[in-house]
Amino acid sequence: MRKNPDLQSLRGVPELKYVNADNVTRYRAIMRLIYQQYQKLNYWLKPEFIYEELMKWKLHKNYTLEQCQIDLNQLVEWGNLTAQHDGGERVVTVEEYLRKKFRYLLTPYSIEIERMLESLESIRGYGGSLEPTLFDKIADTLNKVSGNAGIYEPGEALEYWKTLINVFQTLHETSVDYIASLQTGMAEELMATDTFLLYKDSITHYLQDFIQALQRRSYKIEGRLHRITTGVRDIFFSAVMEDEWLIPKLEQSISKEEYLSELQDKWSSLNRWFLGDEESISDSVLLERATKEAIVKVVKSAVRIQEKKRSSISRKKDLDHLGKWFYNINELNTSHKLAAYAFGLFQSRHLQGEDIRGSDSKEMSMWQETSISRTIRSRSRKKNERQDSDAATDNSKLKKQFREAFLIKQKQELQFLIQMVTVRTINIAELGPISSITRLQLLDWISRCNASSTSSIQTSEGVQIEMNTPLGNNRTLLRCVDGTLELLNHNFVFTVMNHKAWEGQVAWLSAQQ
């Protein structure tokens, strides 16, 4: 987990005062000029050079060198600049001797502030993108970390670490920004116009492709993270620290303990993003949900626009022509066909009832089915007249019938299982005519074994059933009392794993008989 902030990290930031000071234009101009020179590898600047360059921008008409020097001193006081005595120039007058000359350099805080301000100027929205290839880069890097067996070339571990963290940060920031861009007011306004229909398909396909890549490739990353044990991770961190400390740094740097703590925090963030923790689900699952919600939003907006366009079109002439067409038809079947072509399926309503079919023939029309009577309760807010409640229905006889039928089925299934355990191994071709209950039981075993990675299951009676597919996929006929079924000639092996549970089931069956 990320460590809690200390008092030093929560201090005030005097380096930001120049952004909102009274003479903000002068301070910002000086800082932007020194920052541009810093990017050109021109680090230490003299006041005269700064003043001359500022005057070329023509931002201040009555600006003097003395005012520029005062502004530079103020920026030094705020911690934005570092001043160094310039002893390289010869002193000609007493005044120059008494007045020390300095050179100025940006502090690390100011460099990051100017970078941030420069990037803020180019922001035109959330931006972002959904890049599925970033998942592959993370998975490949994790594979290299786990596959090197703790042996790294000089600089290799640090390269893996930088690639992993940079790609992970890019994935998180760009994906979150892109999803957020679909929630802005500008996006809402666009989704309400007809122009949005031109973008609907491309946005939907873009989001769907990302979801498919996220679902397929995030599991690969989860598997790589599970495979990297604590020992492998610690060896990798040690190699990263060695590579980092091989880089000579003249400025004061953090200790190895603090650097190791940063590595562990970033690694925990990576694990939490893909695997989650005990308190919350992973961020990858949240991203998948947000992407699906964005797809639903896009589709609903497109449907709303289309419905609005259709509602504004008058269909009076069309309906008048269609009504005359129906009026001139003399046959009912022809009217049904015309209604199907003109209106399609009507809006369905789900009504509860018992489907009593008189025939299983698929050729039988729905118009020939027996109607089902169903009393529909009114949805009106008007209070209905009070009705007397009926007495509770006694279903004890029906429950007894269901219980007896269930016991009969359970006995037959257990008797068949006891026969199979006695035989221990058998092919489907060796089975004689079986009942419908036994057929369903056998098909249930086949279905569960096919779904198992080991092609074996264990029943509640404590019996393990292992299914073997025949060589050459030989097929056979399973004879049942209600018909014949063709299927693969599977071989089953029955083994009692829990003898106590099995003996209890056998004893129960004996007591029932």
Side-chain angles (χ1 to χ4, degrees), residues 344-454:
L345 294 177
F346 288 94
Q347 185 177 3
S348 61
R349 297 181 63 186
H350 298 277
L351 302 177
Q352 182 183 2
E354 185 178 359
D355 188 10
I356 304 175
R357 299 200 61 184
S359 173
D360 291 333
S361 174
K362 64 180 181 179
E363 303 295 336
M364 187 175 180
S365 172
M366 59 175 290
W367 303 103
Q368 300 175 356
E369 295 284 352
T370 304
S371 60
I372 303 173
S373 300
R374 178 68 178 174
T375 303
I376 302 177
R377 180 178 59 85
S378 174
R379 295 187 179 183
S380 175
R381 294 186 178 182
K382 185 178 179 181
K383 187 175 181 181
N384 297 328
E385 296 180 1
R386 183 171 180 177
Q387 299 177 356
D388 296 334
S389 58
D390 298 332
T393 306
D394 184 10
N395 295 322
S396 57
K397 293 183 178 179
L398 186 61
K399 291 180 181 179
K400 184 178 180 181
Q401 294 177 2
F402 285 150
R403 184 176 182 276
E404 291 176 353
F406 174 77
L407 289 177
I408 293 173
K409 178 183 176 183
Q410 190 175 18
K411 290 178 185 178
Q412 293 184 7
E413 291 180 351
L414 186 56
Q415 288 175 351
F416 180 68
L417 184 59
I418 292 175
Q419 295 177 5
M420 296 298 101
V421 171
T422 304
V423 177
R424 193 176 182 278
T425 178
I426 193 172
N427 295 328
I428 292 181
E430 299 174 0
L431 295 173
I434 59 177
S435 63
S436 59
I437 296 178
T438 304
R439 183 191 76 245
L440 295 176
Q441 182 182 9
L442 185 63
L443 293 178
D444 179 64
W445 291 348
I446 295 175
S447 175
R448 292 172 60 189
C449 288
N450 284 328
S452 174
S453 58
T454 59

Side-chain angles (χ1 to χ4, degrees), residues 209-221:
D209 292 342
F210 178 75
I211 283 185
Q212 293 175 0
L214 174 63
Q215 292 173 341
R216 291 194 303 265
R217 301 171 187 176
S218 61
Y219 294 113
K220 185 188 299 184
I221 297 176

Side-chain angles (χ1 to χ4, degrees), residues 16-28:
L16 286 172
K17 289 184 178 180
Y18 79 93
V19 179
N20 295 307
D22 293 336
N23 298 323
V24 59
T25 307
R26 286 156 43 182
Y27 295 134
R28 289 287 307 276

Side-chain angles (χ1 to χ4, degrees), residues 86-138:
D86 186 10
E89 291 191 6
R90 295 178 60 184
V91 177
V92 179
T93 64
V94 177
E95 184 181 357
E96 292 178 352
Y97 176 77
L98 295 176
R99 186 180 62 187
K100 293 183 179 180
K101 293 187 176 181
F102 294 91
R103 300 184 303 169
Y104 298 94
L105 173 69
L106 284 174
T107 59
Y109 258 69
S110 301
I111 295 172
E112 294 300 327
I113 292 173
E114 284 298 318
R115 285 175 179 168
M116 178 190 68
L117 294 175
E118 188 177 38
S119 62
L120 289 176
E121 294 173 0
S122 60
I123 289 180
R124 297 295 182 270
Y126 285 91
S129 60
L130 303 177
E131 302 180 26
T133 56
L134 297 178
F135 291 104
D136 293 331
K137 293 181 181 179
I138 295 176

